[in-house]
Amino acid sequence: MTRFDPISGAIGEAQPAKRHLADLRGCFRDTGAFERALAHDNRLVYTVAAVEPAAGEGDLHYGLGVIYPGLVGDEYFLTKGHLHTWRAAAELYIGIAGEGLMLLEDEVTRENRLVPLQPNGVVYVPGHTAHRTVNTSDVPLTYLGVYPARAGHDYGAIAERNFRSVVINRNGKPHLLERN
Ligand code: PAN
Ligand code: ZN
């Protein structure tokens, strides 16, 4: 058994990797708001700690993510988002604490949808699907992600063309908008 701490983001022996605002350049729609927020304080946006017990065919890796509450302009704090290098690799997300959304975008059709991520909820992310997690609450959003050991993380495609849509706070509620 591996224990995790939903507050600190620690899981087993794994040291959480920290992602600050400066690491998220290019992710948010409102670049002016991003630069102002960064100049004010390079805040910690999320942490992710991965457990990699073995890396053979058929093995699984899993990670604990904690996204802190916050906004850049009207856009909620989010993860970079990625496709799996092995495109067919699916992933299971399990909500632990806080409330948020997963933005899922099919790599080929670029169709996108929002799926709630919350405690006692499971989100199945199919293969060939870019996934980004968004904290829409005012407390940390904590979740586990479980994926094939050989999935790999490809951030390049997202860095180049980003997600088609953004999740913004409008009158206190999340809305999905086309980025452009
Ligand atoms: C997750 C993610 C975690 C952080 O464990 O790695 O939510 O998001 P980024 O990797 O996009 O920074 C996962 O989807 N693993 O495959
Ligand atoms: Zn993933």
Side-chain angles (χ1 to χ4, degrees):
M1 186 187 67
T2 302
R3 296 199 75 92
F4 60 86
D5 180 345
I7 308 295
S8 72
I11 181 164
E13 305 290 301
Q15 282 308 310
K18 295 182 174 168
R19 304 283 181 244
H20 294 85
L21 266 185
D23 302 312
L24 295 172
R25 185 177 292 281
C27 292
F28 294 95
R29 177 182 65 143
D30 185 342
T31 50
F34 175 81
E35 294 303 337
R36 284 191 297 279
L38 184 58
H40 177 69
D41 184 8
N42 184 20
R43 281 174 62 188
L44 179 62
V45 178
Y46 68 99
T47 66
V48 56
V51 182
E52 303 178 345
E57 186 85 13
D59 282 312
L60 296 173
H61 286 175
Y62 54 101
L64 184 70
V66 180
I67 311 178
Y68 293 95
L71 293 164
V72 170
D74 55 8
E75 198 175 349
Y76 297 103
F77 274 12
L78 44 69
T79 59
K80 280 185 188 182
H82 59 267
L83 284 150
H84 293 144
T85 312
W86 176 33
R87 291 292 198 267
E91 180 163 359
L92 204 64
Y93 272 69
I94 303 161
I96 308 283
E99 303 264 333
L101 295 167
M102 293 197 68
L103 178 58
L104 305 182
E105 182 175 305
D106 185 289
E107 183 183 19
V108 179
T109 65
R110 301 207 71 184
E111 270 175 57
N112 56 189
R113 60 201 170 98
L114 278 179
V115 184
L117 181 63
Q118 46 192 232
N120 302 338
V122 171
V123 177
Y124 184 82
V125 180
H128 304 275
T129 305
H131 42 291
R132 164 173 280 168
T133 312
V134 177
N135 185 350
T136 56
S137 71
D138 50 15
V139 295
L141 171 65
T142 305
Y143 55 91
L144 273 172
V146 186
Y147 46 95
R150 54 175 279 218
H153 295 84
D154 176 5
Y155 295 98
I158 300 301
E160 235 168 68
R161 65 180 198 178
N162 218 323
F163 284 73
R164 229 182 76 191
S165 301
V166 295
V167 186
I168 61 147
N169 174 321
R170 190 184 278 165
N171 302 320
K173 285 205 183 137
H175 279 268
L176 187 64
L177 280 189
E178 290 278 325
R179 178 178 303 275
N180 300 312

